[in-house]
PDB file of all heavy atoms in Angstrom:
ATOM      1  N   GLY X 196       9.580   7.530  -4.559  1.00 82.00           N
ATOM      2  CA  GLY X 196      10.429   8.000  -3.473  1.00 82.00           C
ATOM      3  C   GLY X 196       9.743   8.086  -2.136  1.00 82.00           C
ATOM      4  O   GLY X 196      10.262   8.734  -1.236  1.00 82.00           O
ATOM      5  N   GLY X 197       8.571   7.473  -2.001  1.00 80.00           N
ATOM      6  CA  GLY X 197       7.884   7.503  -0.709  1.00 80.00           C
ATOM      7  C   GLY X 197       8.651   6.684   0.312  1.00 80.00           C
ATOM      8  O   GLY X 197       9.054   5.560   0.026  1.00 80.00           O
ATOM      9  N   ASN X 198       8.894   7.237   1.490  1.00 83.00           N
ATOM     10  CA  ASN X 198       9.636   6.471   2.497  1.00 83.00           C
ATOM     11  C   ASN X 198       8.673   5.582   3.292  1.00 83.00           C
ATOM     12  O   ASN X 198       7.468   5.560   3.037  1.00 83.00           O
ATOM     13  CB  ASN X 198      10.426   7.399   3.418  1.00 83.00           C
ATOM     14  CG  ASN X 198       9.542   8.386   4.124  1.00 83.00           C
ATOM     15  OD1 ASN X 198       8.326   8.199   4.194  1.00 83.00           O
ATOM     16  ND2 ASN X 198      10.121   9.446   4.628  1.00 83.00           N
ATOM     17  N   PHE X 199       9.246   4.862   4.256  1.00 84.00           N
ATOM     18  CA  PHE X 199       8.459   3.860   4.991  1.00 84.00           C
ATOM     19  C   PHE X 199       7.219   4.466   5.626  1.00 84.00           C
ATOM     20  O   PHE X 199       6.119   3.923   5.514  1.00 84.00           O
ATOM     21  CB  PHE X 199       9.355   3.219   6.061  1.00 84.00           C
ATOM     22  CG  PHE X 199       8.627   2.305   7.005  1.00 84.00           C
ATOM     23  CD1 PHE X 199       8.173   1.069   6.570  1.00 84.00           C
ATOM     24  CD2 PHE X 199       8.384   2.685   8.313  1.00 84.00           C
ATOM     25  CE1 PHE X 199       7.496   0.224   7.435  1.00 84.00           C
ATOM     26  CE2 PHE X 199       7.709   1.843   9.185  1.00 84.00           C
ATOM     27  CZ  PHE X 199       7.266   0.613   8.740  1.00 84.00           C
ATOM     28  N   PHE X 200       7.374   5.626   6.270  1.00 86.00           N
ATOM     29  CA  PHE X 200       6.220   6.171   6.989  1.00 86.00           C
ATOM     30  C   PHE X 200       5.171   6.734   6.038  1.00 86.00           C
ATOM     31  O   PHE X 200       3.975   6.682   6.327  1.00 86.00           O
ATOM     32  CB  PHE X 200       6.682   7.228   7.999  1.00 86.00           C
ATOM     33  CG  PHE X 200       7.273   6.604   9.219  1.00 86.00           C
ATOM     34  CD1 PHE X 200       8.639   6.508   9.388  1.00 86.00           C
ATOM     35  CD2 PHE X 200       6.449   6.051  10.190  1.00 86.00           C
ATOM     36  CE1 PHE X 200       9.180   5.888  10.493  1.00 86.00           C
ATOM     37  CE2 PHE X 200       6.985   5.425  11.306  1.00 86.00           C
ATOM     38  CZ  PHE X 200       8.339   5.356  11.461  1.00 86.00           C
ATOM     39  N   HIS X 201       5.621   7.249   4.884  1.00 87.00           N
ATOM     40  CA  HIS X 201       4.640   7.697   3.895  1.00 87.00           C
ATOM     41  C   HIS X 201       3.797   6.524   3.414  1.00 87.00           C
ATOM     42  O   HIS X 201       2.570   6.591   3.379  1.00 87.00           O
ATOM     43  CB  HIS X 201       5.358   8.339   2.708  1.00 87.00           C
ATOM     44  CG  HIS X 201       4.442   8.645   1.567  1.00 87.00           C
ATOM     45  ND1 HIS X 201       3.705   9.799   1.500  1.00 87.00           N
ATOM     46  CD2 HIS X 201       4.110   7.914   0.475  1.00 87.00           C
ATOM     47  CE1 HIS X 201       2.980   9.775   0.408  1.00 87.00           C
ATOM     48  NE2 HIS X 201       3.196   8.645  -0.244  1.00 87.00           N
ATOM     49  N   ILE X 202       4.476   5.430   3.051  1.00 87.00           N
ATOM     50  CA  ILE X 202       3.744   4.259   2.559  1.00 87.00           C
ATOM     51  C   ILE X 202       2.855   3.701   3.655  1.00 87.00           C
ATOM     52  O   ILE X 202       1.695   3.364   3.429  1.00 87.00           O
ATOM     53  CB  ILE X 202       4.737   3.195   2.045  1.00 87.00           C
ATOM     54  CG1 ILE X 202       5.403   3.712   0.776  1.00 87.00           C
ATOM     55  CG2 ILE X 202       4.045   1.883   1.777  1.00 87.00           C
ATOM     56  CD1 ILE X 202       6.509   2.839   0.268  1.00 87.00           C
ATOM     57  N   LEU X 203       3.391   3.657   4.878  1.00 86.00           N
ATOM     58  CA  LEU X 203       2.618   3.130   6.001  1.00 86.00           C
ATOM     59  C   LEU X 203       1.348   3.952   6.202  1.00 86.00           C
ATOM     60  O   LEU X 203       0.247   3.417   6.332  1.00 86.00           O
ATOM     61  CB  LEU X 203       3.484   3.179   7.267  1.00 86.00           C
ATOM     62  CG  LEU X 203       2.815   2.797   8.569  1.00 86.00           C
ATOM     63  CD1 LEU X 203       2.390   1.353   8.516  1.00 86.00           C
ATOM     64  CD2 LEU X 203       3.739   3.016   9.739  1.00 86.00           C
ATOM     65  N   TRP X 204       1.499   5.243   6.192  1.00 85.00           N
ATOM     66  CA  TRP X 204       0.381   6.106   6.539  1.00 85.00           C
ATOM     67  C   TRP X 204      -0.620   6.244   5.402  1.00 85.00           C
ATOM     68  O   TRP X 204      -1.823   6.233   5.610  1.00 85.00           O
ATOM     69  CB  TRP X 204       0.933   7.478   6.957  1.00 85.00           C
ATOM     70  CG  TRP X 204      -0.100   8.339   7.563  1.00 85.00           C
ATOM     71  CD1 TRP X 204      -0.524   9.543   7.096  1.00 85.00           C
ATOM     72  CD2 TRP X 204      -0.875   8.074   8.742  1.00 85.00           C
ATOM     73  NE1 TRP X 204      -1.509  10.030   7.919  1.00 85.00           N
ATOM     74  CE2 TRP X 204      -1.735   9.152   8.928  1.00 85.00           C
ATOM     75  CE3 TRP X 204      -0.901   7.006   9.650  1.00 85.00           C
ATOM     76  CZ2 TRP X 204      -2.643   9.211   9.978  1.00 85.00           C
ATOM     77  CZ3 TRP X 204      -1.804   7.075  10.702  1.00 85.00           C
ATOM     78  CH2 TRP X 204      -2.647   8.169  10.853  1.00 85.00           C
ATOM     79  N   LYS X 205      -0.100   6.365   4.163  1.00 85.00           N
ATOM     80  CA  LYS X 205      -1.001   6.651   3.037  1.00 85.00           C
ATOM     81  C   LYS X 205      -1.588   5.389   2.426  1.00 85.00           C
ATOM     82  O   LYS X 205      -2.705   5.404   1.937  1.00 85.00           O
ATOM     83  CB  LYS X 205      -0.234   7.410   1.942  1.00 85.00           C
ATOM     84  CG  LYS X 205      -0.025   8.863   2.257  1.00 85.00           C
ATOM     85  CD  LYS X 205      -1.190   9.679   1.767  1.00 85.00           C
ATOM     86  CE  LYS X 205      -1.011  11.104   2.223  1.00 85.00           C
ATOM     87  NZ  LYS X 205      -2.086  11.967   1.893  1.00 85.00           N
ATOM     88  N   HIS X 206      -0.791   4.320   2.378  1.00 86.00           N
ATOM     89  CA  HIS X 206      -1.236   3.162   1.607  1.00 86.00           C
ATOM     90  C   HIS X 206      -1.612   1.973   2.471  1.00 86.00           C
ATOM     91  O   HIS X 206      -2.603   1.311   2.208  1.00 86.00           O
ATOM     92  CB  HIS X 206      -0.151   2.742   0.615  1.00 86.00           C
ATOM     93  CG  HIS X 206       0.130   3.783  -0.409  1.00 86.00           C
ATOM     94  ND1 HIS X 206      -0.792   4.143  -1.350  1.00 86.00           N
ATOM     95  CD2 HIS X 206       1.201   4.553  -0.617  1.00 86.00           C
ATOM     96  CE1 HIS X 206      -0.285   5.092  -2.109  1.00 86.00           C
ATOM     97  NE2 HIS X 206       0.924   5.362  -1.682  1.00 86.00           N
ATOM     98  N   LEU X 207      -0.777   1.699   3.498  1.00 86.00           N
ATOM     99  CA  LEU X 207      -1.034   0.473   4.240  1.00 86.00           C
ATOM    100  C   LEU X 207      -2.153   0.655   5.257  1.00 86.00           C
ATOM    101  O   LEU X 207      -3.133  -0.073   5.252  1.00 86.00           O
ATOM    102  CB  LEU X 207       0.255   0.003   4.937  1.00 86.00           C
ATOM    103  CG  LEU X 207       1.427  -0.280   4.013  1.00 86.00           C
ATOM    104  CD1 LEU X 207       2.648  -0.686   4.804  1.00 86.00           C
ATOM    105  CD2 LEU X 207       1.060  -1.391   3.053  1.00 86.00           C
ATOM    106  N   THR X 208      -2.021   1.674   6.118  1.00 85.00           N
ATOM    107  CA  THR X 208      -2.988   1.819   7.211  1.00 85.00           C
ATOM    108  C   THR X 208      -4.431   1.918   6.725  1.00 85.00           C
ATOM    109  O   THR X 208      -5.290   1.201   7.235  1.00 85.00           O
ATOM    110  CB  THR X 208      -2.613   3.031   8.084  1.00 85.00           C
ATOM    111  OG1 THR X 208      -1.233   2.968   8.369  1.00 85.00           O
ATOM    112  CG2 THR X 208      -3.394   3.031   9.363  1.00 85.00           C
ATOM    113  N   PRO X 209      -4.759   2.761   5.748  1.00 84.00           N
ATOM    114  CA  PRO X 209      -6.163   2.813   5.339  1.00 84.00           C
ATOM    115  C   PRO X 209      -6.689   1.476   4.853  1.00 84.00           C
ATOM    116  O   PRO X 209      -7.874   1.205   4.953  1.00 84.00           O
ATOM    117  CB  PRO X 209      -6.171   3.834   4.191  1.00 84.00           C
ATOM    118  CG  PRO X 209      -4.944   4.598   4.335  1.00 84.00           C
ATOM    119  CD  PRO X 209      -3.949   3.708   4.979  1.00 84.00           C
ATOM    120  N   ASN X 210      -5.786   0.634   4.331  1.00 84.00           N
ATOM    121  CA  ASN X 210      -6.255  -0.631   3.772  1.00 84.00           C
ATOM    122  C   ASN X 210      -6.377  -1.749   4.792  1.00 84.00           C
ATOM    123  O   ASN X 210      -7.139  -2.682   4.595  1.00 84.00           O
ATOM    124  CB  ASN X 210      -5.348  -1.070   2.628  1.00 84.00           C
ATOM    125  CG  ASN X 210      -5.631  -0.276   1.380  1.00 84.00           C
ATOM    126  OD1 ASN X 210      -6.732  -0.334   0.847  1.00 84.00           O
ATOM    127  ND2 ASN X 210      -4.675   0.501   0.940  1.00 84.00           N
ATOM    128  N   PHE X 211      -5.595  -1.693   5.897  1.00 85.00           N
ATOM    129  CA  PHE X 211      -5.794  -2.762   6.885  1.00 85.00           C
ATOM    130  C   PHE X 211      -6.586  -2.305   8.098  1.00 85.00           C
ATOM    131  O   PHE X 211      -6.933  -3.116   8.932  1.00 85.00           O
ATOM    132  CB  PHE X 211      -4.470  -3.442   7.279  1.00 85.00           C
ATOM    133  CG  PHE X 211      -3.463  -2.595   7.999  1.00 85.00           C
ATOM    134  CD1 PHE X 211      -3.757  -2.007   9.209  1.00 85.00           C
ATOM    135  CD2 PHE X 211      -2.194  -2.411   7.477  1.00 85.00           C
ATOM    136  CE1 PHE X 211      -2.835  -1.238   9.875  1.00 85.00           C
ATOM    137  CE2 PHE X 211      -1.259  -1.640   8.139  1.00 85.00           C
ATOM    138  CZ  PHE X 211      -1.594  -1.056   9.334  1.00 85.00           C
ATOM    139  N   LEU X 212      -6.905  -1.021   8.166  1.00 83.00           N
ATOM    140  CA  LEU X 212      -7.626  -0.529   9.337  1.00 83.00           C
ATOM    141  C   LEU X 212      -8.960  -1.247   9.566  1.00 83.00           C
ATOM    142  O   LEU X 212      -9.267  -1.617  10.699  1.00 83.00           O
ATOM    143  CB  LEU X 212      -7.832   0.981   9.225  1.00 83.00           C
ATOM    144  CG  LEU X 212      -7.901   1.705  10.564  1.00 83.00           C
ATOM    145  CD1 LEU X 212      -6.652   1.451  11.367  1.00 83.00           C
ATOM    146  CD2 LEU X 212      -8.078   3.196  10.352  1.00 83.00           C
ATOM    147  N   PRO X 213      -9.775  -1.474   8.513  1.00 79.00           N
ATOM    148  CA  PRO X 213     -11.049  -2.158   8.780  1.00 79.00           C
ATOM    149  C   PRO X 213     -10.868  -3.510   9.443  1.00 79.00           C
ATOM    150  O   PRO X 213     -11.681  -3.906  10.275  1.00 79.00           O
ATOM    151  CB  PRO X 213     -11.656  -2.316   7.388  1.00 79.00           C
ATOM    152  CG  PRO X 213     -11.012  -1.300   6.573  1.00 79.00           C
ATOM    153  CD  PRO X 213      -9.646  -1.092   7.111  1.00 79.00           C
ATOM    154  N   SER X 214      -9.777  -4.228   9.097  1.00 81.00           N
ATOM    155  CA  SER X 214      -9.651  -5.578   9.640  1.00 81.00           C
ATOM    156  C   SER X 214      -9.121  -5.584  11.066  1.00 81.00           C
ATOM    157  O   SER X 214      -9.229  -6.602  11.748  1.00 81.00           O
ATOM    158  CB  SER X 214      -8.769  -6.438   8.731  1.00 81.00           C
ATOM    159  OG  SER X 214      -7.630  -5.734   8.355  1.00 81.00           O
ATOM    160  N   ILE X 215      -8.546  -4.463  11.544  1.00 85.00           N
ATOM    161  CA  ILE X 215      -8.116  -4.482  12.943  1.00 85.00           C
ATOM    162  C   ILE X 215      -9.054  -3.669  13.834  1.00 85.00           C
ATOM    163  O   ILE X 215      -8.907  -3.674  15.048  1.00 85.00           O
ATOM    164  CB  ILE X 215      -6.665  -3.993  13.132  1.00 85.00           C
ATOM    165  CG1 ILE X 215      -6.521  -2.552  12.683  1.00 85.00           C
ATOM    166  CG2 ILE X 215      -5.679  -4.878  12.443  1.00 85.00           C
ATOM    167  CD1 ILE X 215      -5.227  -1.927  13.162  1.00 85.00           C
ATOM    168  N   MET X 216     -10.040  -3.017  13.225  1.00 82.00           N
ATOM    169  CA  MET X 216     -10.936  -2.156  14.005  1.00 82.00           C
ATOM    170  C   MET X 216     -11.596  -2.941  15.145  1.00 82.00           C
ATOM    171  O   MET X 216     -11.671  -2.467  16.280  1.00 82.00           O
ATOM    172  CB  MET X 216     -12.007  -1.609  13.054  1.00 82.00           C
ATOM    173  CG  MET X 216     -12.469  -0.223  13.367  1.00 82.00           C
ATOM    174  SD  MET X 216     -11.112   0.895  13.656  1.00 82.00           S
ATOM    175  CE  MET X 216     -11.707   1.690  15.103  1.00 82.00           C
ATOM    176  N   PHE X 217     -12.040  -4.147  14.818  1.00 81.00           N
ATOM    177  CA  PHE X 217     -12.688  -5.003  15.817  1.00 81.00           C
ATOM    178  C   PHE X 217     -11.737  -5.270  16.984  1.00 81.00           C
ATOM    179  O   PHE X 217     -12.103  -5.129  18.154  1.00 81.00           O
ATOM    180  CB  PHE X 217     -13.104  -6.310  15.139  1.00 81.00           C
ATOM    181  CG  PHE X 217     -13.499  -7.392  16.098  1.00 81.00           C
ATOM    182  CD1 PHE X 217     -14.709  -7.329  16.759  1.00 81.00           C
ATOM    183  CD2 PHE X 217     -12.674  -8.481  16.298  1.00 81.00           C
ATOM    184  CE1 PHE X 217     -15.072  -8.332  17.634  1.00 81.00           C
ATOM    185  CE2 PHE X 217     -13.036  -9.477  17.173  1.00 81.00           C
ATOM    186  CZ  PHE X 217     -14.241  -9.406  17.839  1.00 81.00           C
ATOM    187  N   MET X 218     -10.497  -5.607  16.642  1.00 85.00           N
ATOM    188  CA  MET X 218      -9.536  -5.926  17.694  1.00 85.00           C
ATOM    189  C   MET X 218      -9.211  -4.702  18.537  1.00 85.00           C
ATOM    190  O   MET X 218      -8.967  -4.815  19.735  1.00 85.00           O
ATOM    191  CB  MET X 218      -8.259  -6.483  17.079  1.00 85.00           C
ATOM    192  CG  MET X 218      -8.505  -7.733  16.278  1.00 85.00           C
ATOM    193  SD  MET X 218      -6.985  -8.438  15.694  1.00 85.00           S
ATOM    194  CE  MET X 218      -6.460  -9.308  17.140  1.00 85.00           C
ATOM    195  N   VAL X 219      -9.205  -3.530  17.904  1.00 87.00           N
ATOM    196  CA  VAL X 219      -8.883  -2.311  18.653  1.00 87.00           C
ATOM    197  C   VAL X 219      -9.962  -2.039  19.697  1.00 87.00           C
ATOM    198  O   VAL X 219      -9.661  -1.762  20.866  1.00 87.00           O
ATOM    199  CB  VAL X 219      -8.736  -1.117  17.688  1.00 87.00           C
ATOM    200  CG1 VAL X 219      -8.669   0.183  18.463  1.00 87.00           C
ATOM    201  CG2 VAL X 219      -7.486  -1.277  16.849  1.00 87.00           C
ATOM    202  N   VAL X 220     -11.231  -2.167  19.289  1.00 82.00           N
ATOM    203  CA  VAL X 220     -12.315  -1.932  20.251  1.00 82.00           C
ATOM    204  C   VAL X 220     -12.254  -2.967  21.366  1.00 82.00           C
ATOM    205  O   VAL X 220     -12.409  -2.654  22.551  1.00 82.00           O
ATOM    206  CB  VAL X 220     -13.679  -1.960  19.526  1.00 82.00           C
ATOM    207  CG1 VAL X 220     -14.800  -1.857  20.529  1.00 82.00           C
ATOM    208  CG2 VAL X 220     -13.764  -0.827  18.545  1.00 82.00           C
ATOM    209  N   MET X 221     -11.971  -4.219  20.989  1.00 83.00           N
ATOM    210  CA  MET X 221     -11.850  -5.267  21.999  1.00 83.00           C
ATOM    211  C   MET X 221     -10.678  -4.992  22.946  1.00 83.00           C
ATOM    212  O   MET X 221     -10.692  -5.399  24.095  1.00 83.00           O
ATOM    213  CB  MET X 221     -11.632  -6.625  21.312  1.00 83.00           C
ATOM    214  CG  MET X 221     -12.849  -7.147  20.608  1.00 83.00           C
ATOM    215  SD  MET X 221     -14.172  -7.522  21.742  1.00 83.00           S
ATOM    216  CE  MET X 221     -15.403  -6.411  21.187  1.00 83.00           C
ATOM    217  N   ASN X 222      -9.680  -4.302  22.426  1.00 87.00           N
ATOM    218  CA  ASN X 222      -8.517  -3.984  23.239  1.00 87.00           C
ATOM    219  C   ASN X 222      -8.861  -2.994  24.348  1.00 87.00           C
ATOM    220  O   ASN X 222      -8.368  -3.124  25.474  1.00 87.00           O
ATOM    221  CB  ASN X 222      -7.439  -3.384  22.333  1.00 87.00           C
ATOM    222  CG  ASN X 222      -6.065  -3.774  22.770  1.00 87.00           C
ATOM    223  OD1 ASN X 222      -5.801  -3.836  23.960  1.00 87.00           O
ATOM    224  ND2 ASN X 222      -5.204  -4.030  21.828  1.00 87.00           N
ATOM    225  N   ILE X 223      -9.728  -2.023  24.036  1.00 85.00           N
ATOM    226  CA  ILE X 223     -10.183  -1.092  25.082  1.00 85.00           C
ATOM    227  C   ILE X 223     -10.833  -1.897  26.191  1.00 85.00           C
ATOM    228  O   ILE X 223     -10.569  -1.716  27.378  1.00 85.00           O
ATOM    229  CB  ILE X 223     -11.205  -0.088  24.509  1.00 85.00           C
ATOM    230  CG1 ILE X 223     -10.612   0.712  23.372  1.00 85.00           C
ATOM    231  CG2 ILE X 223     -11.704   0.851  25.609  1.00 85.00           C
ATOM    232  CD1 ILE X 223     -11.547   1.741  22.797  1.00 85.00           C
ATOM    233  N   ARG X 224     -11.663  -2.830  25.756  1.00 82.00           N
ATOM    234  CA  ARG X 224     -12.389  -3.652  26.706  1.00 82.00           C
ATOM    235  C   ARG X 224     -11.423  -4.432  27.600  1.00 82.00           C
ATOM    236  O   ARG X 224     -11.514  -4.394  28.820  1.00 82.00           O
ATOM    237  CB  ARG X 224     -13.265  -4.627  25.914  1.00 82.00           C
ATOM    238  CG  ARG X 224     -14.353  -5.270  26.689  1.00 82.00           C
ATOM    239  CD  ARG X 224     -14.832  -6.454  25.924  1.00 82.00           C
ATOM    240  NE  ARG X 224     -13.758  -7.453  25.860  1.00 82.00           N
ATOM    241  CZ  ARG X 224     -13.971  -8.751  25.817  1.00 82.00           C
ATOM    242  NH1 ARG X 224     -15.208  -9.213  25.785  1.00 82.00           N
ATOM    243  NH2 ARG X 224     -12.989  -9.607  25.766  1.00 82.00           N
ATOM    244  N   SER X 225     -10.458  -5.107  26.961  1.00 86.00           N
ATOM    245  CA  SER X 225      -9.586  -5.951  27.776  1.00 86.00           C
ATOM    246  C   SER X 225      -8.665  -5.109  28.650  1.00 86.00           C
ATOM    247  O   SER X 225      -8.262  -5.555  29.725  1.00 86.00           O
ATOM    248  CB  SER X 225      -8.784  -6.919  26.914  1.00 86.00           C
ATOM    249  OG  SER X 225      -8.146  -6.235  25.888  1.00 86.00           O
ATOM    250  N   ALA X 226      -8.357  -3.869  28.215  1.00 87.00           N
ATOM    251  CA  ALA X 226      -7.535  -3.001  29.057  1.00 87.00           C
ATOM    252  C   ALA X 226      -8.300  -2.621  30.317  1.00 87.00           C
ATOM    253  O   ALA X 226      -7.731  -2.610  31.416  1.00 87.00           O
ATOM    254  CB  ALA X 226      -7.133  -1.752  28.283  1.00 87.00           C
ATOM    255  N   ILE X 227      -9.603  -2.340  30.164  1.00 84.00           N
ATOM    256  CA  ILE X 227     -10.402  -2.014  31.345  1.00 84.00           C
ATOM    257  C   ILE X 227     -10.452  -3.220  32.281  1.00 84.00           C
ATOM    258  O   ILE X 227     -10.326  -3.092  33.500  1.00 84.00           O
ATOM    259  CB  ILE X 227     -11.820  -1.563  30.922  1.00 84.00           C
ATOM    260  CG1 ILE X 227     -11.731  -0.244  30.156  1.00 84.00           C
ATOM    261  CG2 ILE X 227     -12.728  -1.407  32.124  1.00 84.00           C
ATOM    262  CD1 ILE X 227     -13.042   0.249  29.618  1.00 84.00           C
ATOM    263  N   ILE X 228     -10.600  -4.415  31.677  1.00 82.00           N
ATOM    264  CA  ILE X 228     -10.625  -5.628  32.499  1.00 82.00           C
ATOM    265  C   ILE X 228      -9.298  -5.796  33.231  1.00 82.00           C
ATOM    266  O   ILE X 228      -9.268  -6.083  34.437  1.00 82.00           O
ATOM    267  CB  ILE X 228     -10.915  -6.872  31.636  1.00 82.00           C
ATOM    268  CG1 ILE X 228     -12.327  -6.780  31.069  1.00 82.00           C
ATOM    269  CG2 ILE X 228     -10.750  -8.148  32.441  1.00 82.00           C
ATOM    270  CD1 ILE X 228     -12.683  -7.914  30.168  1.00 82.00           C
ATOM    271  N   SER X 229      -8.182  -5.590  32.512  1.00 86.00           N
ATOM    272  CA  SER X 229      -6.875  -5.746  33.155  1.00 86.00           C
ATOM    273  C   SER X 229      -6.747  -4.804  34.339  1.00 86.00           C
ATOM    274  O   SER X 229      -6.266  -5.197  35.414  1.00 86.00           O
ATOM    275  CB  SER X 229      -5.749  -5.431  32.175  1.00 86.00           C
ATOM    276  OG  SER X 229      -5.820  -6.228  31.061  1.00 86.00           O
ATOM    277  N   GLU X 230      -7.182  -3.568  34.131  1.00 85.00           N
ATOM    278  CA  GLU X 230      -7.080  -2.578  35.210  1.00 85.00           C
ATOM    279  C   GLU X 230      -7.886  -3.050  36.415  1.00 85.00           C
ATOM    280  O   GLU X 230      -7.404  -3.008  37.555  1.00 85.00           O
ATOM    281  CB  GLU X 230      -7.563  -1.225  34.706  1.00 85.00           C
ATOM    282  CG  GLU X 230      -7.423  -0.090  35.685  1.00 85.00           C
ATOM    283  CD  GLU X 230      -8.667   0.121  36.511  1.00 85.00           C
ATOM    284  OE1 GLU X 230      -9.790  -0.096  35.999  1.00 85.00           O
ATOM    285  OE2 GLU X 230      -8.516   0.469  37.687  1.00 85.00           O
ATOM    286  N   SER X 231      -9.122  -3.524  36.165  1.00 81.00           N
ATOM    287  CA  SER X 231      -9.952  -3.980  37.289  1.00 81.00           C
ATOM    288  C   SER X 231      -9.308  -5.168  37.979  1.00 81.00           C
ATOM    289  O   SER X 231      -9.287  -5.248  39.215  1.00 81.00           O
ATOM    290  CB  SER X 231     -11.339  -4.401  36.804  1.00 81.00           C
ATOM    291  OG  SER X 231     -11.773  -3.588  35.795  1.00 81.00           O
ATOM    292  N   THR X 232      -8.780  -6.098  37.164  1.00 83.00           N
ATOM    293  CA  THR X 232      -8.156  -7.279  37.749  1.00 83.00           C
ATOM    294  C   THR X 232      -7.007  -6.880  38.672  1.00 83.00           C
ATOM    295  O   THR X 232      -6.901  -7.349  39.801  1.00 83.00           O
ATOM    296  CB  THR X 232      -7.623  -8.200  36.637  1.00 83.00           C
ATOM    297  OG1 THR X 232      -8.605  -8.297  35.626  1.00 83.00           O
ATOM    298  CG2 THR X 232      -7.285  -9.560  37.166  1.00 83.00           C
TER     299      THR X 232
END
Side-chain angles (χ1 to χ4, degrees):
Chain X
N198 58 18
F199 172 72
F200 283 100
H201 172 85
I202 291 173
L203 174 64
W204 191 241
K205 283 272 174 184
H206 296 293
L207 301 178
T208 313
N210 283 298
F211 65 60
L212 209 57
S214 45
I215 62 166
M216 214 48 226
F217 167 74
M218 300 185 81
V219 169
V220 174
M221 289 295 118
N222 215 321
I223 301 182
R224 197 197 66 149
S225 51
I227 294 176
I228 294 177
S229 303
E230 184 267 326
S231 323
T232 316

